[in-house]
Amino acid sequence: MRGKVLGGSSSINVMAYVRGHRGDYDRWARNGCTGWSYAEVLPYFKRCETWEKGENAWRGGRGPLSVIDSRNRDPLFEAWLDAAREADWPFTEDYNGKEQEGFGLGQWTIRNGRRCSAAVAFLRPALSRPNLTVEINALATRVILEGTRARGVEYTSAGRIHHVAAAREVLLAGGVFNSPQLLMLSGIGDASHLREVGIQPKVNLPGVGRNLQDHLTVDVHHLRRAPGPFHAAMRLDRAALNMARAYVLGTGPGTVLPSHLHAFLKTRRELAVPDIQFLFRGAPPRAYPWLPGIKPAYADSFGLRPVMLHPESRGVVRLRSSDPSTPVRIVQNFLATEHDVRTIREGVKLGRDIAGRKSLEQFRGRETAPGPECRTDAELDAFVRRTAITAHHPCAMCAMGTGEDAVLDPSLRVRGVDGLRVIDASAMPDLVSGNINACVMMIAEKAADLVLGKLPLPA
Ligand SMILES: Cc1cc2nc3c(=O)[nH]c(=O)nc-3n(C[C@H](O)[C@H](O)[C@H](O)COP(=O)(O)OP(=O)(O)OC[C@H]3O[C@@H](n4cnc5c(N)ncnc54)[C@H](O)[C@@H]3O)c2cc1C
């Protein structure tokens, strides 16, 4: 699932704003990504954002991307926090600030009650620049290479093939699946794979499309004893008014997500960074507008999703054909190691532990997932294999680094090719401890300085 629209997936995502743990970026730097330690990327996170609570040592106050705190008033979330205290988990004031670990209020990329996507924050304000042309309904099909130098891009639009020449560089931002696809279509990738699909290899770069990693998640879910405020707001007449108010005034229940909290936890004390995130939800995934006599209301429920933050399993993206309009083959390869099976199982157990605490008693009905029949480790593992899904954070298929499989150098330049960079989630060397959109924005912000040849912001 990807956003094929201006702003890409930031135009369709859940808007959660999470930078990850400082240790993630220090690991990147340790593993060869010079310039990407936490101290070095922090100024770029700050330059990106306007945090509604104002600038401080960790947060930005003047950037294009608006970030707000959660505004949900459902008492269920207070009970979750009490349950977390009961279980002795820490609370963090700002998980994008000094300390990520613990339970904290959710933060969202929202401005005036509306989505603040990459297109809203960065592209729209730049649209009137004379040196910018935006082509929509255009499919980039190939990077034009002269020897090993990128000279431009070929694309199709309205059935016609076009060429654009690059004065200096070509910057790919097609996202995790399409940037590696475009490299491979251009003859940059694993030479033997390219030959299999009839593409003449130009630069043998075996790492292209490898190293796919993604956040896996499952549901821990309960029926709710009495319907909550989101359920009430979903009655069709109210929902229509709420949406109209949200659209016109940018206020009211239509601007508030049925979620309020995040938690970033370590399943073992000795870990350097959290390995489980909880995504909380005060409504069922298939909530819909209802109206007495017309469409019966849904049974209200609530839950949390444990997300495995640092899987060992690696997948791969491959071409099915040399035709650019043919979707790539995506092999996620989830749960390929014992570590991953154990970690997500631990996440489910921790989630169940909190959901079963006394503080939630007044809200908690029957457990619907994993369900009372799931007790033993084997039963939990079977539940995970049956129901786990992606949290939509694939990354790292054009990973930067210095190792053999690295596709990009730490300046995001494609190795072995002149004048070509990749600037999107595929450039991440590995997963960070949280949703990745903020990290992608930071990469782009830093890339702007790299492309312009500016000195990096002071660490
Ligand atoms: C359903 C969903 C929910 C998510 N929720 C969250 C969340 O709450 N918080 C969070 O932090 N992250 C979330 N994410 C992840 C996050 O949004 C993405 O990781 C991030 O937007 C990726 O940015 P990107 O620039 O790498 O690629 P994308 O945003 O995917 O952008 C790629 C762009 O390139 C275009 N493109 C691709 N190929 C071509 C081509 N050949 N020619 C022309 N154009 C092309 C696409 O149309 C798109 O506009 C979510 C993702 C999804 C799908």
Side-chain angles (χ1 to χ4, degrees), residues 32 45-46 109 119 144 190 223 252 254 257 269 294 301 304-305 350 355 415 438:
F45 275 120
K46 291 178 69 177
T109 43
I144 301 163
D190 184 330
L223 290 177
L257 290 149
R269 260 179 209 287
I294 307 270
S301 61
L304 64 75
R305 280 193 162 276
L350 291 180
R415 291 166 70 194

Side-chain angles (χ1 to χ4, degrees), residues 10 50 126 142 174 177 218 254 295 419 447:
S10 78
T50 293
R142 186 167 65 93
F177 301 117
V218 284
K295 186 162 186 172

Side-chain angles (χ1 to χ4, degrees), residues 1-19 107-109 115 118 135 137-142 153-156 172-179 181-182 185 262 279 324 391-395 423-428 434-441 444:
M1 198 193 286
R2 303 275 89 197
K4 291 186 185 177
V5 59
L6 288 181
S9 303
S10 78
S11 297
I12 60 144
N13 72 11
V14 184
M15 299 177 281
Y17 183 80
V18 179
R19 293 175 178 177
Q107 299 177 21
W108 315 98
T109 43
R115 174 186 296 274
E135 290 266 352
N137 299 319
L139 182 75
T141 48
R142 186 167 65 93
V153 170
E154 178 189 272
Y155 70 94
T156 57
L172 299 186
V176 271
F177 301 117
N178 299 108
S179 284
Q181 179 190 28
L182 209 48
L185 290 170
H262 284 280
L279 304 170
H392 301 297
H393 304 152
C395 68
I423 306 170
D424 56 32
S426 66
M428 293 168 65
N435 317 48
I436 63 171
N437 197 40
C439 173
V440 176
M441 302 271 194

Side-chain angles (χ1 to χ4, degrees), residues 297-351:
Y298 56 88
D300 205 7
S301 61
F302 67 94
L304 64 75
R305 280 193 162 276
V307 180
M308 173 168 42
L309 291 173
H310 299 285
E312 286 180 350
S313 307
R314 297 289 181 264
V316 69
V317 169
R318 286 285 174 248
L319 295 180
R320 286 169 194 270
S321 103
S322 58
D323 174 2
S325 62
T326 305
V328 289
R329 183 191 306 279
I330 302 168
V331 183
Q332 289 273 19
N333 202 27
F334 282 129
L335 298 170
T337 74
E338 179 51 36
H339 161 275
D340 291 0
V341 175
R342 198 179 54 235
T343 307
I344 191 73
R345 186 201 304 145
E346 266 322 293
V348 177
K349 286 182 180 174
L350 291 180

